[in-house]
Amino acid sequence: MKIITQKFNEISKTIINSLKNKEIKSIIGRVRLKFTYKEINDYVQIIFAHSQTQKSFKSIYKKSKFKIKYSCFMSNIQLFSKLFRFLFYKLNEKLSIKPSKLLNMVDTTLIEEKKLNFINQHNWDSGRVTTRINKKNKIKTYTCGSKGLVFLNRFGQIYSANLLNINYSDQNILKDFSFYIKELNGILLADRGFSNKAVRERLNHIKTSVFETNKPLCRLISPYNVKQNIKLTDKERKLYKRRWKIETVFQNIKHNYSENKLNLTGKYNNLTKGAKFYSTLINFNLSTI
């Protein structure tokens, strides 16, 4: 864990210190920025330590030597949480983590933020609660939280990710693939939730420029809808079995015994929860190097 922390601190410092003041302002959405580069790096390291050690911000604040109030400390945490999505992709560039030319995987996972007893009416009204029905016993379960979208290359590294609304349908993710042009390469393995006839046709017939004829952007291998009466070929089934690698990754980053525990519980701002999500993925990627 110490080695990963040291790696992150070194690389994140290099990235942040290379940015101009105007660039940092545009990323975090501030007109004025009265922070030194050292202070920015300190807050980034605190957020990363919070997600890695699972210690509360209050306990970290008490041990630190900040001369400001806790409320100001937390407002600064929320402000610099906006840097973590940027840091995730920049770290991937530094570590050469990118989509494989041969085989990649995509999937989503539910990330619980609240237990059933703490779900209130505001959570229902804001669309942060989803309902699942167990096929065997037909019991309804309610989950309040978010949905994590993850793209994994064949080496088991997360090269792209996004935090979505918990009720966002998997079928809609690749409908407008202009958002994921860089992620789509080679063969893409996905579960039945991504299976969509329109998506398959669009991925198989696309012009990358005005002068080129239609050519496949990537090949989607996913079980067909039951109504289509089409089955995967033997070669496609063999390839599809390799999709379980992404399920193993989800288990590793979500279970209590894992060093890379993905946890969004707590009364935190959505920006801070996003930072916890990306910092956990950074932690995982650094452990694969």
Side-chain angles (χ1 to χ4, degrees), residues 92-184:
N92 281 356
E93 284 181 23
K94 290 274 185 183
L95 301 171
S96 297
I97 296 174
K98 55 187 177 180
S100 169
K101 293 181 180 179
L102 298 175
L103 191 72
N104 300 292
M105 288 141 270
V106 62
D107 203 357
T108 58
T109 182
L110 297 184
I111 308 167
E112 189 178 15
E113 295 179 20
K114 284 186 177 181
K115 298 293 182 184
L116 183 62
N117 298 337
F118 296 98
I119 298 175
N120 53 41
Q121 190 60 43
H122 178 71
N123 298 135
W124 285 96
D125 295 338
S126 57
R128 296 184 65 248
V129 184
T130 189
T131 307
R132 293 288 184 270
I133 301 173
N134 192 310
K135 292 181 179 180
K136 292 181 180 179
N137 50 29
K138 295 183 180 180
I139 296 174
K140 288 184 180 180
T141 55
Y142 304 97
T143 306
C144 177
S146 303
K147 178 183 279 190
L149 170 67
V150 166
F151 287 86
L152 194 79
N153 62 25
R154 68 189 183 96
F155 306 108
Q157 298 167 322
I158 300 168
Y159 64 87
S160 182
N162 201 3
L163 200 58
L164 306 172
N165 185 288
I166 198 167
N167 288 306
Y168 194 82
S169 174
D170 288 354
Q171 285 196 354
N172 293 329
I173 291 170
L174 295 178
K175 275 187 177 179
D176 188 359
F177 52 79
S178 58
F179 292 108
Y180 302 103
I181 285 289
K182 292 180 180 179
E183 286 81 357
L184 302 174

Side-chain angles (χ1 to χ4, degrees), residues 54-68:
Q54 300 298 311
K55 290 182 179 179
S56 65
F57 282 116
K58 203 158 195 175
S59 64
I60 295 172
Y61 170 77
K62 287 178 180 178
K63 290 180 181 179
S64 61
K65 297 178 181 179
F66 285 98
K67 295 180 180 179
I68 57 175

